[in-house]
Amino acid sequence: MKTVIIIPVRYASSRFPGKAMAPVGGKPLIRQVWEAARGSRLAGRVVVATDDERIRAAVAAFGGDAVMTEGEFRTGTDRLAWVAERIAAEAYLNLQGDEFIQDARMLDDLIARFIESQPLAMGTLKRPIASAKEGENPNLVKVVTDREGYALYFSRSPIPSRRDREPTLGAGEVPFYKHLGIYIYRKDVLEKLARLPTGLLENREKLEQLRALENGIRIRVWETAHESLRIDAPEDIEAAERFLTLLEPGRSP
């Protein structure tokens, strides 16, 4: 199954305009994300999909592969579907342009599991929540799954809700997980998602993956041992600089 990694990225951002070009470790954030993706051994190609000439030019300057998308898109998934019409593959991995990953093996683990589990429609990743502060952070998306590992719901609120407060956020029988902004889809599923209207839950939570759940598209969620960091605001750059010290061996900042 040929897989292409696509990194959808815009210049505009309500909380952090131009964050794709923000310097992290002496390089633009988009370059850090692209270089991490290039570490994948299972993806046939890595492409940055953008609607901004400044980002396209920056990617071209460091030797990256970029395509300029045309039109307005509701989400990164919709931008991805536009690119999928023009780049042939059987599966597409969506690595968001502000998802700063620690280790490219995270991507290969997702690709390998998805291929081995066909005919899955869509897959993604999760990690245990480490603290109560993380659990309460609305910028950090939470996920709960069924016994087979399929997503039941994603939310910016802490889920599952705790009626009785526990001393620590992970105590008890039900673990708490954060969702990582990385998805993989079959081509036909990606095309279907782009044709569907925005869902009520998707609009309320501002989470594009809820469009799939609202329309009966099951999402398989695997736990990963690798960490990532979402860049949502200027103050996250400092955390990203610290994150660089934890990068996989051989990948220089």
Side-chain angles (χ1 to χ4, degrees), residues 129 134-135 137 140-143 153-159 177:
I129 288 177
E134 270 197 330
N137 182 358
L140 190 145
V141 178
K142 277 67 72 174
V143 60
Y153 195 63
F154 298 86
S155 182
R156 297 184 182 279
S157 300
I159 52 172
Y177 288 99

Side-chain angles (χ1 to χ4, degrees), residues 177-215:
Y177 288 99
K178 59 184 174 182
H179 173 236
L180 308 186
I182 303 169
Y183 308 93
I184 189 167
Y185 328 73
R186 287 202 323 263
K187 184 183 177 84
D188 60 317
V189 174
L190 181 58
E191 292 171 341
K192 179 180 178 179
L193 279 169
R195 292 192 299 268
L196 291 170
T198 301
L200 295 175
L201 296 174
E202 175 189 8
N203 188 55
R204 175 61 63 88
E205 295 261 16
K206 297 297 184 285
L207 295 175
E208 60 198 89
Q209 63 270 39
L210 291 177
R211 190 189 315 167
L213 296 188
E214 289 184 82
N215 288 278

Side-chain angles (χ1 to χ4, degrees), residues 109-129:
D109 285 349
L110 179 58
I111 294 170
R113 288 169 170 177
F114 186 73
I115 292 172
E116 291 167 1
S117 304
Q118 282 305 300
L120 281 182
M122 184 173 170
T124 190
L125 297 172
K126 66 179 182 180
R127 273 184 60 83
I129 288 177

Side-chain angles (χ1 to χ4, degrees), residues 97-112:
D98 55 4
E99 192 78 27
F100 198 45
I101 69 171
Q102 183 184 92
D103 194 321
R105 286 175 292 184
M106 171 191 289
L107 307 179
D108 284 343
D109 285 349
L110 179 58
I111 294 170

Side-chain angles (χ1 to χ4, degrees), residues 46-109:
V46 179
V47 180
V48 174
T50 184
D51 59 358
D52 192 276
E53 174 58 28
R54 290 165 291 188
I55 294 174
R56 188 213 62 78
V59 173
F62 61 71
D65 187 356
V67 297
M68 287 287 289
T69 57
E70 299 173 3
E72 296 294 324
F73 300 96
R74 296 171 290 175
T75 67
T77 296
D78 298 292
R79 191 181 303 277
L80 208 77
W82 187 94
V83 178
E85 293 178 1
R86 293 154 177 83
I87 296 178
E90 296 165 277
Y92 297 85
L93 190 150
N94 179 348
L95 174 61
Q96 297 184 42
D98 55 4
E99 192 78 27
F100 198 45
I101 69 171
Q102 183 184 92
D103 194 321
R105 286 175 292 184
M106 171 191 289
L107 307 179
D108 284 343
D109 285 349

